[in-house]
Amino acid sequence: MSRSTVRLAILVLGLITALVHLVVLNVTFVRDTGTPDLLFTLNGLGYLGLLAAFFGKLPWISDRRTVLHYLFIGYTAVTILAWAVMGARNFIGYATKIDELLLIAALWMHLKSES
């Protein structure tokens, strides 16, 4: 798989995860409680921030490519672990975890292609 294809996969998978946390899960939470969920919102914003850094929009971290890869992989892994502990076992939950596992794989492939 080419580097540009892997980068596109990272962008698409990262945006899917960010939008699920920022929009889909918050809409459900607002419907149930009347207010947005802070953790979903922060998690979605974290993904957007990591994507911005990955694609060079935050130069203070974008210059540290290896650290950024590991940070992004770790953040995604922590999200999966948090879901395993307290997440809903429904279609959205499982679909998002598959997306996040694919994101980790794409990040790992990109990291190894830089070496």
Side-chain angles (χ1 to χ4, degrees):
M1 193 178 305
S2 72
R3 280 181 54 85
S4 61
T5 303
V6 174
R7 287 177 59 85
L8 179 62
I10 291 167
L11 177 64
V12 170
L13 294 167
L15 284 174
I16 289 170
T17 301
L19 292 175
V20 165
H21 286 91
L22 280 173
V23 179
V24 176
L25 296 175
N26 261 323
V27 165
T28 304
F29 200 81
V30 167
R31 186 183 62 226
D32 294 343
T33 66
T35 60
D37 183 75
L38 181 62
L39 289 178
F40 288 150
T41 303
L42 292 175
N43 192 265
L45 292 174
Y47 276 106
L48 291 178
L50 285 165
L51 284 170
F54 188 84
F55 288 97
K57 304 303 180 193
L58 301 174
W60 51 273
I61 188 75
S62 297
D63 296 339
R64 295 169 180 85
R65 302 297 297 165
T66 302
V67 171
L68 179 58
H69 280 84
Y70 285 119
L71 182 64
F72 207 159
I73 290 168
Y75 188 85
T76 306
V78 168
T79 300
I80 294 169
L81 291 174
W83 173 81
V85 171
M86 61 185 177
R89 303 303 188 264
N90 56 27
F91 175 77
I92 293 173
Y94 288 111
T96 306
K97 294 318 123 199
I98 291 168
D99 176 80
E100 291 165 353
L101 288 171
L102 291 171
L103 177 59
I104 289 172
L107 286 162
W108 185 256
M109 289 172 59
H110 191 267
L111 175 64
K112 291 304 168 190
S113 73
E114 285 190 347
S115 302

